[in-house]
């Protein structure tokens, strides 16, 4: 096992007061050398965005690990079937194409579910953050707000994409947005030691807006938690305690999700 | 567990800029200006009751009677006191709209420089008249429409009895036509504005705002 991965979603206090469900969702797949993780934040204004967030994440994971794409392209390992080393970082274009295909898959899944539930795809509005991490390269995909922060060996944590907020504090892009392909952000980077993917509920406490700097004292304890020689359950309990803490709830009433990966090889 | 908890970065709270563009020309004298003053006080009082709104809503007051005049530059409502407005002079409506739009652009640059997040600005025009003959109101109207089309602001037009509705219809963006104020019920109008501001400033990112109905104070001109 070369990666330690944990994730947790905590419902926002405002959502609790209004009797809304937690509209964030995250999950990951871990194959030997490779981690694929996804976080989605359902829009408060969309009727079934909790369903949308979960469906978007699960569709993403099954698509990316389903190897359809990777079987076609010998540059990729068939991760889920026969894990092997993925040596060379893929060109940015390849990941962009992958992200575009992913958007279509997600939209198809949401549209089908909308028919089942007799509602509109927009009722599933959510953002989507995706990371693909191997020991030799890293790729991030972002639709809408929230953030991906990474840290490579001996460096400070860095924001992969500037949060996509449009001009105003209450605007963002969703996977169902018409212009999603032009709005989606994609980046391929050298291998990363530590990865933090989070929904926008944590932006204001983790990122300094004046220069979009990832705040090291926010990320350092999270990374330390993964480094500790503790069980997976204990690590998850730590993350849960933090995300449900009174101190954090005083700063945001929104749902909060964190997915953390540490390369331990 | 031996690890400490994450520390938080301090970011300024998101701001919600609002420009009140108030017609204080001579025709507003008497009851209209008195009611406008009272309504404005009620507005500030009401917003101040909501801590989040009073720290987020930044209000600029521009009056136009004679010439556009800045009574109050953008300031959070928690530290604002209601001014006393008196009515005199003509109605340089076009100049006043241009002034307000410029003021907003300056404020937005300030926000950007200081890393302050902000909501879509609101401009609230309240008038009982028509622009002066020499006022560049068509140009101002074009700017308003363009800004609305580009979703850079929300422009509301409130006509007080005596206003030239035909011209106001040309100024207001087509998706948000001017409304008649019920009599001189500025108080209800401002309480609606306050309720709307509370909603906007408390709203979650990505959420569409559902404003309270305007039926309490406005009549849609058909």
């Amino acid at each position: 096992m070369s990666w330690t991965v944990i994730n947790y979603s905590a419902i926002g206090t405002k959502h609790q007061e209004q009797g809304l469900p937690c509209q964030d969702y995250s999950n990951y797949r871990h194959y030997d050398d490779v981690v694929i993780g996804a976080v989605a934040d359902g829009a408060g204004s969309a009727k079934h965005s909790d369903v949308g967030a979960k469906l978007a994440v699960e569709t993403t994971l099954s698509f990316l690990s389903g190897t359809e794409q990777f079987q076609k392209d010998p540059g990729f390992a068939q991760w889920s079937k026969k894990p092997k080393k993925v040596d060379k970082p893929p060109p940015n274009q390849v990941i962009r194409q992958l992200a575009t295909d992913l958007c279509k898959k997600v939209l198809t899944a949401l549209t089908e579910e909308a028919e089942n539930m007799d509602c509109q795809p927009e009722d599933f509005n959510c953002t989507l953050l995706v990371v693909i991490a191997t020991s030799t390269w890293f790729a991030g995909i972002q639709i809408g707000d929230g953030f991906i922060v990474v840290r490579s060996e001996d460096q400070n944590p860095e924001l992969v994409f500037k949060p996509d907020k449009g001009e105003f504090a209450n605007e963002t892009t969703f996977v169902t947005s018409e212009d999603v392909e032009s709005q989606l952000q994609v980046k391929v980077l050298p291998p990363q030691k530590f990865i933090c993917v989070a929904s926008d509920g944590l932006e204001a406490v983790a990122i300094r807006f004046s220069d979009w700097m990832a705040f090291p004292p926010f990320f350092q304890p999270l990374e330390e938690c993964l480094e500790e020689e503790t069980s997976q359950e204990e690590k998850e309990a730590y993350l849960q305690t933090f995300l449900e803490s009174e101190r954090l709830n005083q700063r945001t009433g929104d749902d909060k999700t964190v997915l953390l990966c540490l390369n331990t090889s | 567990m031996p690890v400490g908890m994450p520390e938080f970065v301090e970011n300024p709270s998101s701001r919600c800029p609002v420009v009140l563009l108030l017609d204080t020309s001579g025709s507003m004298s008497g009851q209209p200006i008195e009611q406008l003053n009272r309504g404005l006080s009620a507005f500030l009082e009401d917003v101040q009751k909501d801590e989040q709104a009073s720290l987020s809503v930044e209000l600029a007051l521009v009056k136009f009677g004679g010439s556009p005049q800045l009574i109050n530059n953008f300031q959070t409502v928690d530290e604002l006191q209601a001014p006393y407005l008196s009515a005199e002079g003509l109605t340089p409506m076009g100049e006043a709209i241009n002034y307000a739009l410029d003021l907003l652009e300056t404020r937005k640059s300030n926000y950007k420089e200081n890393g302050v997040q902000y909501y879509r600005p609101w401009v609230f025009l309240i008038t009982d008249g028509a622009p002066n003959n020499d006022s560049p109101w068509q140009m101002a109207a074009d700017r308003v429409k363009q800004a609305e089309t580009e979703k850079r602001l929300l422009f509301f037009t409130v006509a007080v009895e005596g206003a030239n509705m035909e011209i106001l219809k040309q100024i207001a963006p087509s998706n948000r036509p001017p409304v008649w104020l019920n009599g001189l019920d500025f108080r209800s109008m401002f309480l609606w504005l306050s309720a709307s501001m509370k909603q906007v400033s408390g709203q979650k990112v990505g959420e569409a705002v559902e404003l309270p109905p305007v039926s309490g104070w406005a009549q849609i001109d058909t």
Side-chain angles (χ1 to χ4, degrees):
Chain A
M1 290 251 293
S2 62
W3 290 93
T4 302
V5 191
I6 58 171
N7 65 330
Y8 193 77
S9 294
I11 188 168
T13 49
K14 274 209 176 134
H15 284 206
Q16 267 172 326
E17 283 163 21
Q18 295 166 1
L20 290 170
C22 179
Q23 293 160 332
D24 278 4
Y25 186 79
S26 78
N27 205 350
Y28 61 90
R29 304 265 174 99
H30 186 181
Y31 308 108
D32 192 36
D33 184 42
V34 179
V35 175
I36 305 168
V39 169
D41 177 357
S45 55
K47 237 189 311 184
H48 303 299
S49 65
D50 54 323
V51 180
K54 184 169 181 184
L55 190 56
V57 166
E58 293 301 340
T59 305
T60 298
L61 296 180
S62 76
F63 171 65
L64 290 182
S65 59
T67 69
E68 297 171 50
Q69 181 64 33
F70 305 107
Q71 280 169 350
K72 278 184 230 156
D73 188 336
F76 289 95
Q78 295 179 24
W79 296 335
S80 62
K81 293 188 175 164
K82 191 178 154 201
K84 65 177 181 188
K85 283 275 178 197
V86 187
D87 292 333
K88 244 175 36 185
N92 199 292
Q93 253 335 93
V94 171
I95 298 296
R96 174 160 287 279
Q97 185 57 50
L98 186 67
T100 307
D101 294 348
L102 170 65
C103 283
K104 288 182 187 141
K105 285 275 173 204
V106 171
L107 191 59
T108 306
L110 294 179
T111 307
E112 280 171 14
E113 186 63 16
E115 277 169 27
N116 289 340
M117 288 177 61
D118 202 16
C119 63
Q120 300 301 312
E122 289 71 30
D123 294 329
F124 297 131
N125 269 352
C126 61
T127 64
L128 184 61
L129 299 157
V130 182
V131 290
I132 305 170
T134 83
S135 58
T136 48
W137 57 274
F138 166 88
I141 300 168
Q142 176 154 355
I143 299 159
D145 55 23
F147 63 82
I148 304 173
V149 160
V150 293
R151 194 183 73 76
S152 57
E153 208 76 60
D154 303 324
Q155 299 291 317
N156 277 325
E158 270 182 44
L159 197 57
V160 176
F161 305 107
K162 189 178 148 178
D164 164 32
K165 280 200 176 290
E167 181 181 0
F168 307 118
N170 51 349
E171 284 187 333
T172 191
T173 309
F174 300 117
V175 287
T176 45
S177 301
E178 267 178 40
D179 55 349
V180 62
E181 284 181 28
S182 61
Q183 300 293 320
L184 80 91
Q185 306 187 81
V186 171
K187 203 177 261 181
V188 179
L189 293 172
Q192 301 295 324
K193 175 82 180 154
F194 170 71
I195 299 157
C196 174
V197 190
S199 59
D200 77 293
L202 289 159
E203 270 174 19
V205 295
I207 310 292
R208 194 168 66 198
F209 293 149
S210 54
D211 54 4
W212 303 112
M213 193 199 71
F215 189 58
F218 178 87
F219 295 97
Q220 201 182 342
L222 297 175
E223 185 172 345
E224 281 170 11
C225 158
L226 293 179
E227 276 168 354
E228 290 284 319
E229 284 183 20
T230 49
S231 67
Q232 178 82 5
E233 288 70 29
E234 285 173 285
K235 290 182 172 67
E236 280 163 1
Y238 166 86
L239 188 57
Q240 176 176 1
T241 304
F242 167 58
L243 290 178
E244 288 174 352
S245 65
E246 178 67 26
R247 193 171 63 99
L248 181 58
N249 283 337
Q250 280 171 355
R251 297 286 295 265
T252 174
D254 197 0
D255 296 339
K256 300 139 294 193
T257 294
V258 168
L259 175 95
L260 301 172
C261 314
L262 182 76
N263 188 335
T264 46
S265 59
Chain B
M1 187 158 291
V3 215
M5 284 286 165
E7 286 176 38
F8 298 155
V9 65
E10 291 293 332
N11 282 308
S13 60
S14 301
R15 297 299 158 85
C16 183
V18 180
V19 185
L20 292 181
L21 200 46
L22 309 170
D23 184 344
T24 56
S25 60
S27 58
M28 284 285 286
S29 59
Q31 275 298 307
I33 199 80
E34 291 308 322
Q35 295 301 329
L36 179 62
N37 276 314
R38 278 182 210 155
L40 196 51
S41 300
F43 171 65
L44 294 176
E45 242 174 68
D46 199 58
V47 176
Q48 281 161 358
K49 282 183 203 156
D50 183 311
E51 194 185 350
Q52 183 166 27
S54 77
L55 293 173
S56 304
V57 176
E58 282 200 326
L59 195 64
L61 294 172
V62 177
K63 66 171 186 175
F64 56 103
S67 61
Q69 201 183 327
L70 183 63
I71 317 169
N72 207 99
N73 207 342
F74 287 103
Q75 204 175 1
T76 48
V77 172
D78 64 314
E79 45 191 36
L80 241 170
Q81 289 206 322
Y84 184 79
L85 305 171
S86 50
E88 59 183 340
L90 295 171
T91 315
M93 197 185 297
E95 292 90 332
I97 294 171
N98 281 325
Y99 184 90
L101 297 182
D102 293 342
L103 196 66
L104 258 182
E105 288 311 313
T106 309
R107 193 61 183 173
K108 293 200 309 194
S109 312
N110 286 342
Y111 290 148
K112 282 174 195 155
E113 278 164 26
N114 294 294
V116 176
Q117 307 266 298
Y118 56 97
Y119 297 92
R120 188 176 304 172
W122 286 38
V123 179
F124 223 80
L125 169 68
I126 301 165
T127 179
D128 76 332
N132 297 337
N133 286 334
D134 60 351
S135 177
W137 66 268
Q138 280 104 338
M139 175 200 148
D142 288 344
R143 282 183 74 185
V144 167
K145 290 200 177 72
Q146 195 183 347
E148 270 273 357
T149 309
E150 294 168 3
K151 299 193 168 178
R152 282 191 280 122
L153 52 75
L154 298 173
F155 194 94
F156 295 83
T157 315
V158 179
V160 181
E161 197 183 337
N164 183 330
M165 190 49 108
E166 286 316 306
I167 289 187
L168 291 183
K169 276 181 182 167
Q170 295 175 55
I171 290 175
S174 53
N175 56 333
R176 203 168 300 103
V179 292
W180 284 107
L181 181 68
N182 264 343
L184 290 174
D185 197 0
F186 285 107
R187 187 184 158 83
S188 298
M189 180 199 78
F190 276 119
L191 291 180
W192 173 86
L193 183 61
S194 169
S196 303
M197 288 294 114
K198 287 176 194 171
Q199 282 200 8
V200 170
S201 62
Q203 136 205 58
K204 193 172 100 64
V205 171
E207 207 159 7
V209 213
E210 245 178 72
L211 299 178
V214 296
S215 52
W217 56 273
Q219 294 166 7
I220 309 292
D221 188 71
T222 48

